[in-house]
């Protein structure tokens, strides 16, 4: 090749291929080694891997498990959890929380001021470093206090109570609605209910979305609703748990019909023409009775009270 | 001796040299900005990379001789032959990329393009997302983000190979490839006897760069308009 002379002068200063690649291998190993050693939690990871250090576990009855865990899981774990580990930080376990992320520990037990976690949640949401980041709802003051108190008290996994901690917010869980079951319960009378609802608009309704029990409220129909109308509802009698007949035209003649309703719990007869309610106490499920502004005498109520039925009005009462 | 003008011949045009060193700088900026969370800077750096990569592909088709894919992409058999010759101490010189380096260029362009493409659809799960991330589902965006993170390792690997190869030429073969990538000129003694390099005019490069930059800018504007 024509260039032979041009490069021959440097031959003596060159490395052999073996020496060069040996150096490259050493440097590469050193670089990889250093980058591994530079990981903040490496020491703990290695010791735990070799079984020489116990993986930190929190007691299930601890303040951490009861108060801190739910908060971290709902507010932090989406980005610092099983699916994603932003900055190599996991906040979905006690061990992960104590381990910290690629920038080191996020908690200094007992030192709230210098704990990164406490600092980040305390920043205004306009700050780039605020956590949760802007666009996501910040922690409430109570939630921040829970985390700060827990760190201030040593970030313990066993400590049960911390004085001055905000009370936990009660959690209400609504049971799942089993629509098929409800439909099945309602089925035998469903057609009848629909027909009577058409005849007496606004009077008949299911007590709740998860039951086949019914309540009737004829008070808005006032004197347009009388004994014959109540009689017309007889096919539904077995299902009626509440009946508001206040101000309607029903009379004592309807009382046997009401007394025979097996599930009737609350009955309002205020402002009606009923007077002699003897026998009504036989209604097996009756719990309360309103007879305000009626001619029901005080003496007639004793039998009701004796059965534990609460009575409003009647006699000399309001 | 090296600096005597008559012994040195231009092999790399200005666009190739600028492209090369811009990629070096932009890779560093992209890594640093992502690491530190300067995501706006990361976006600009990534889109600039995209523009440069598009330009490089076009320049590989219509650019100067040493820039063209057809000049430096050789069949695998020739690459193997070249590497065997290299191990055996052959002194075969190439004006542009050698047969092994040619494929390295293509691999780097492909991997960088994949990195930029996934970045367009990525999100950092916190406050930032790529300009086209809202065009795909959150799940898809998250998956592409993971791939974006994975590809970075391939980039590191290729950069490592590249630097090791350049070091090999410098320290073992006595052939400094870095200096020509700065000055554009190689020592006549380290070039094939017959040279036939045609340099494409600079205004064509500027035109192609303008079009590439336009495409990148358009993507950025699309991203802003999706918001």
């Amino acid at each position: 090749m024509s260039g032979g002379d041009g490069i021959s002068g440097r031959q003596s200063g060159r490395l052999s291929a073996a020496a060069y690649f040996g150096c490259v291998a050493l440097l590469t190993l050193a670089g990889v080694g250093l980058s591994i050693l530079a990981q903040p939690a490496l020491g703990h990871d290695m010791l735990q891997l070799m079984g020489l250090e116990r993986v930190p576990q929190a007691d299930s009855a601890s303040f951490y498990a009861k108060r801190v865990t739910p908060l971290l899981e709902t507010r932090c774990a989406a980005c610092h959890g099983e699916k994603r580990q932003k900055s190599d930080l996991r906040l979905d376990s006690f061990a992960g929380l104590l381990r910290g992320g690629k920038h080191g520990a996020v908690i200094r037990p007992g030192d709230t001021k210098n704990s990164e976690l406490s600092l980040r949640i305390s920043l205004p949401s306009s700050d780039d470093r605020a956590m949760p980041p802007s666009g996501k709802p910040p922690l409430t003051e109570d939630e921040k206090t829970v985390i700060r108190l827990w760190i201030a008290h040593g970030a313990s996994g066993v400590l049960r109570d911390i004085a001055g901690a905000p009370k936990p917010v009660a959690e209400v869980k609504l049971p799942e609605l089993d629509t098929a079951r409800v439909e099945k319960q309602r089925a035998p009378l469903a057609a009848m209910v629909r027909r009577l609802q058409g005849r007496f608009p606004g009077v008949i309704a299911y007590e709740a979305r998860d039951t086949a029990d019914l309540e009737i409220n004829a008070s808005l129909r006032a004197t347009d609703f009388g004994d014959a109308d109540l009689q017309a509802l007889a096919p539904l009698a077995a299902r009626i748990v509440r009946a508001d007949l206040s101000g309607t035209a029903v009379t004592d003649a309807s009382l046997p019909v009401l007394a025979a309703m097996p599930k009737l719990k609350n009955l309002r007869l205020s402002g009606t023409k009923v007077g002699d309610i003897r026998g009504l106490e036989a209604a097996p499920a009756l719990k309360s009775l309103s007879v305000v502004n009626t001619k029901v005498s005080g003496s007639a109520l004793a039998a009701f009270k004796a059965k534990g039925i609460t009575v409003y009005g009647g006699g000399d009462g309001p | 001796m090296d600096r005597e003008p008559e012994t040195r011949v231009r092999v790399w045009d200005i666009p190739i040299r600028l492209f090369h060193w811009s990629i070096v700088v932009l890779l560093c900026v992209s890594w640093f900005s992502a690491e530190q969370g300067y995501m706006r800077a990361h976006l600009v750096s990534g889109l600039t990379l995209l523009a440069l990569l598009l330009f490089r592909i076009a320049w590989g088709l219509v650019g100067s001789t040493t820039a063209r894919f057809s000049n430096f992409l050789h069949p695998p058999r020739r690459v193997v032959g070249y590497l065997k010759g290299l191990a055996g101490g052959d002194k075969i010189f190439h004006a542009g990329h050698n047969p092994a380096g040619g494929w390295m260029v293509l691999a780097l362009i492909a991997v960088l393009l994949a990195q930029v493409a996934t970045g367009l659809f990525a999100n950092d799960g916190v406050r930032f997302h790529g300009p086209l991330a809202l065009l795909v589902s959150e799940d898809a965006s998250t998956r592409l983000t993971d791939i974006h993170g994975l590809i970075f390792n391939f980039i590191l690997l290729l950069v490592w190979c590249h630097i090791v190869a350049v070091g090999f030429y410098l320290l073992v073969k006595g052939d400094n490839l870095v200096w020509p990538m700065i000055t554009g000129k190689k020592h006549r003694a380290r070039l094939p006897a017959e040279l036939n390099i045609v340099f494409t005019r600079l205004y064509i490069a500027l035109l192609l760069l303008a079009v590439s930059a336009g495409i990148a800018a358009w993507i950025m504007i699309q991203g802003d308009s999706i918001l």
Side-chain angles (χ1 to χ4, degrees):
Chain A
M1 211 69 213
S2 63
D5 288 343
I7 54 174
S8 58
R10 294 188 184 169
Q11 294 275 10
S12 56
R14 286 188 216 154
L15 293 172
S16 70
Y20 174 71
F21 284 112
C23 290
V24 166
L26 276 178
L27 282 172
T28 306
L29 278 176
V32 171
L34 277 176
S35 71
I36 291 174
L37 287 174
Q39 289 175 13
L42 180 79
H44 292 299
D45 286 351
M46 295 298 283
L47 289 174
Q48 285 167 15
L49 200 68
M50 292 186 286
L52 298 175
E53 187 182 284
R54 206 171 63 87
V55 178
Q57 297 274 353
D59 191 80
S60 62
S62 63
F63 184 86
Y64 168 79
K66 296 240 187 252
R67 302 297 304 277
V68 181
T69 299
L71 214 159
L72 295 175
E73 268 177 8
T74 51
R75 309 302 296 276
C76 314
C79 296
H80 299 291
E82 197 181 346
K83 280 192 177 168
R84 311 207 67 184
Q85 299 90 39
K86 303 296 296 177
S87 285
D88 291 340
L89 175 64
R90 285 189 71 152
L91 298 177
D92 59 341
S93 72
F94 186 61
L97 183 53
L98 294 188
R99 180 186 181 279
K102 72 174 171 188
H103 299 301
V106 294
I107 283 176
R108 290 174 186 274
D111 185 1
T112 316
K113 271 190 181 168
N114 290 308
S115 291
E116 190 70 12
L117 183 73
S118 172
L119 288 175
R120 294 296 193 98
I121 60 168
S122 305
L123 291 169
S125 57
S126 56
D127 193 300
D128 260 2
R129 300 184 313 133
M131 287 290 154
S134 61
K136 312 210 169 175
L139 300 187
T140 65
E141 281 310 314
D142 276 1
E143 288 172 331
K144 290 177 190 173
T145 307
V146 163
I147 289 182
R148 289 187 198 123
L149 279 174
W150 175 69
I151 296 173
H153 283 76
S156 162
V158 288
L159 187 68
R160 293 199 171 199
D161 291 307
I162 292 179
K167 287 206 163 63
V169 178
E171 195 174 310
V172 178
K173 271 198 178 153
L174 294 175
E176 290 265 331
L177 179 62
D178 185 350
T179 325
R181 182 184 60 82
V182 176
E183 289 296 320
K184 203 173 160 190
Q185 285 175 349
R186 291 179 179 181
L189 283 180
M192 178 62 77
V193 168
R194 271 198 298 279
R195 190 155 62 243
L196 290 170
Q197 278 174 331
R199 183 171 161 194
F200 301 104
V203 171
I204 305 156
Y206 287 103
E207 188 195 22
R209 59 184 193 139
D210 63 344
T211 172
D213 289 341
L214 297 166
E215 55 183 32
I216 58 173
N217 184 352
S219 62
L220 289 175
R221 291 179 73 91
T223 51
D224 280 350
F225 192 92
D227 292 326
D229 299 311
L230 187 64
Q231 191 62 48
L233 300 184
L236 309 180
R239 293 276 177 81
I240 294 169
V241 292
R242 198 167 288 128
D244 187 352
L245 303 171
S246 312
T248 60
V250 294
T251 67
D252 290 350
S254 283
L255 296 181
V257 178
L258 291 166
M261 291 181 177
K263 294 177 106 176
L264 184 65
K265 288 186 291 188
N266 309 103
L267 175 61
R268 294 184 175 187
L269 293 169
S270 303
T272 60
K273 292 196 169 68
V274 295
D276 182 5
I277 60 169
R278 276 176 299 172
L280 187 57
E281 74 273 15
L286 196 60
K287 290 277 178 286
S288 79
L289 172 70
S290 303
V291 283
V292 181
N293 290 332
T294 60
K295 288 179 179 158
V296 175
S297 66
S299 60
L301 300 178
F304 289 86
K305 288 175 182 166
K307 285 194 75 177
I309 298 167
T310 309
V311 181
Y312 302 94
D316 305 325
Chain B
M1 181 177 77
D2 267 9
R3 305 296 162 92
E4 283 170 24
E6 64 270 20
T7 63
R8 295 165 62 79
V9 181
R10 188 157 81 109
V11 291
W12 299 118
D13 59 15
I14 289 178
I16 283 292
R17 284 179 275 151
L18 280 179
F19 170 80
H20 179 275
W21 296 112
S22 302
I23 294 288
V24 174
V25 172
L26 286 169
L27 264 182
C28 295
V29 170
S30 295
W31 167 78
F32 184 76
S33 55
E35 198 70 4
Q36 296 300 314
Y38 301 130
M39 297 316 286
R40 196 74 193 168
H42 191 72
L43 170 75
V44 172
S45 162
L47 285 171
T48 311
L49 263 172
L50 174 64
L52 289 181
L53 289 167
L54 293 176
F55 162 78
R56 181 65 185 88
I57 292 169
W59 199 239
L61 299 173
V62 302
S64 308
T65 308
T66 49
R68 293 198 181 196
F69 297 121
S70 58
N71 176 258
F72 61 75
L73 291 183
H74 300 283
R77 188 179 294 175
R78 207 172 147 203
V79 177
V80 174
Y82 170 78
L83 288 175
K84 276 184 183 165
L86 207 59
D90 280 4
K91 294 184 180 68
I92 310 162
F93 298 112
H94 291 83
H97 300 293
N98 63 51
W103 286 100
M104 166 65 80
V105 171
L106 193 73
L108 267 166
I109 290 176
V111 170
L112 286 175
L113 210 53
Q115 182 70 329
V116 172
T118 50
L120 293 176
F121 296 94
N123 72 82
D124 75 347
V126 186
R127 74 190 77 228
F128 178 81
H129 56 76
L132 304 183
L134 297 185
L135 292 178
V136 299
S137 70
E138 199 178 333
D139 266 3
S141 173
T142 303
R143 256 199 307 280
L144 289 167
T145 308
D146 293 339
I147 296 172
H148 192 64
L150 273 178
I151 294 177
F152 181 68
N153 296 320
F154 283 98
I155 295 177
L156 284 184
L157 186 68
L158 288 180
V159 168
W160 179 85
C161 288
H162 184 70
I163 292 172
V164 167
V166 169
F168 175 78
Y169 280 95
L170 179 69
L171 299 171
V172 181
K173 308 297 281 185
D175 192 1
N176 187 340
L177 302 181
V178 181
W179 191 244
M181 195 43 88
I182 296 169
T183 62
K185 292 176 179 174
K186 263 189 186 173
H187 200 288
R188 188 68 187 86
R190 293 189 190 88
L191 288 171
E194 280 188 32
L195 271 182
N196 188 18
I197 303 175
V198 179
F199 289 98
T200 306
R201 287 174 184 274
L202 209 55
Y203 76 86
I204 294 179
L206 288 173
L207 205 68
L208 290 173
L209 188 63
V211 173
S212 307
I215 293 172
W218 180 77
I219 289 175
M220 188 162 172
I221 292 164
Q222 289 305 301
D224 284 343
S225 67
I226 294 168
L227 290 173

